[in-house]
Amino acid sequence: MTIDRETALKAIERMCDRQSIRNFSDRPIPDEDLQKVLDAATAAASAGNLQPVSVIVERDHERGKRLGELCTKQPFIGKASANLIFLLDWHKLSVYAACRNAPFNCNDSWMHFVTGMEDVMCIAQAAETAAWLLGIGSCYIGTAMHSGSEIAEMYNIPQRAYPMLVLALGYPADIPAKRRKLEKESIFFEGSYPDLSDEQICEIYDRKYEGITLS
C-alpha cells in the first residue's frame, strides 16, 4: 500500500479541525461529491463483514423539514442539502437467510445489536469524514430513535430495521467557533486506566467547561 505522507498529514490536519455544522447555505451538494461520500461509507469496517446497515438518502427539503420535526424539532435538518438516515437493518439478512434455508437470530441477539450499532457508527463516521474532507459540513442527530416508528412509516422501513441516527449534510453558511474538547491526555491512557482521584477528574472537566455555564 503506497501512501503519500504529505497528503495524509494534510487530511489528518483537516480532520482535527472538524466541527458540527448546523447552519447550511443554499448551495447544493453535487451528485458526484455525494456519491464519493457514499463510496467511502460503503468501504467502512463491519463486524464479520455482515454490514447490517441501510442508509436512506433524503434530498427533498419538505421531507427534510418533516424529518427535522420528528428529530425533536431541529429545523436546520430541513435546510441541509442532504440527510443520511442510518438504519440498523437485519431485514435484508433475515430474508437472505430464509431464502437459503439458513438459521437466523441476529435480531434477537444482544451481541449482534451491539456490533450492529458499531457498524452503524463506522459507516456514519466514514461518511462524515469524507464529507468534511470535501468541504461539506455535517451534524449528527441521535434523536431519530425517539420517533423511530414515525420515521419508519414515512420511509417505508420494514420490520427488523430501525432508524438509529441522521447525518445532515450541507455546505456551511458560516463556521462557528470551535468547541472545546477534552484534552487528549484525558481520553487516551497508555497500558491501563489510571487511578484518577475525584479532584483530578473534576479538574479535567473544569478545564473543558471553563467559562461555560449551564442551567
Side-chain angles (χ1 to χ4, degrees):
M1 182 172 63
T2 303
I3 297 295
D4 182 338
R5 180 174 172 78
E6 184 176 351
T7 300
L9 289 174
K10 286 182 179 178
I12 293 172
E13 184 178 356
R14 171 74 177 153
M15 290 169 65
C16 290
D17 284 336
R18 71 130 325 260
Q19 53 191 306
S20 296
I21 302 297
R22 294 176 176 83
N23 187 16
F24 299 113
S25 73
D26 295 332
R27 177 186 170 193
I29 299 172
D31 187 66
E32 178 183 7
D33 285 0
L34 182 58
Q35 293 306 314
K36 289 294 184 184
V37 170
L38 302 183
D39 287 343
T42 303
S46 172
N49 202 28
L50 290 177
Q51 296 180 286
V53 183
S54 291
V55 185
I56 296 171
V57 181
E58 177 60 271
R59 289 194 260 188
D60 182 90
H61 284 289
E62 290 304 314
R63 289 167 65 87
K65 289 178 183 177
R66 172 61 178 154
L67 182 63
E69 283 292 312
L70 292 174
C71 292
T72 58
K73 300 188 183 336
Q74 302 194 64
F76 72 88
I77 295 173
K79 297 179 181 179
S81 180
N83 286 291
L84 305 183
I85 306 165
F86 292 85
L87 314 179
L88 176 55
D89 182 5
W90 293 116
H91 166 71
K92 292 180 296 187
L93 277 168
S94 68
V95 170
Y96 181 61
C99 289
R100 295 294 181 264
N101 297 314
F104 185 86
N105 66 351
C106 291
N107 57 291
D108 295 324
S109 163
W110 168 249
M111 184 57 71
H112 277 97
F113 170 74
V114 173
T115 57
M117 278 300 301
E118 291 169 351
D119 273 22
V120 168
M121 289 311 306
C122 283
I123 191 172
Q125 187 58 52
E128 195 264 5
T129 300
W132 186 251
L133 292 176
L134 288 170
I136 301 167
S138 66
C139 185
Y140 280 120
I141 300 99
T143 52
M145 293 185 292
H146 294 204
S147 301
S149 58
E150 291 92 338
I151 295 174
E153 182 177 357
M154 182 175 173
Y155 290 103
N156 194 38
I157 298 171
Q159 293 290 318
R160 294 181 175 172
Y162 196 82
M164 305 308 295
L165 62 91
V166 172
L167 184 66
L169 297 172
Y171 292 103
D174 57 59
I175 303 294
K178 194 169 184 180
R179 300 184 72 179
R180 197 180 301 139
K181 299 287 188 179
L182 288 173
E183 298 157 348
K184 183 170 66 174
E185 294 76 16
S186 302
I187 299 173
F188 299 95
F189 305 130
E190 186 74 31
S192 64
Y193 201 103
D195 186 15
L196 297 170
S197 68
D198 293 357
E199 182 179 351
Q200 287 174 311
I201 292 173
C202 287
E203 287 175 354
I204 287 169
Y205 286 99
D206 281 343
R207 288 194 295 271
K208 177 181 178 181
Y209 296 118
E210 183 180 5
I212 300 173
T213 56
L214 300 171
S215 59

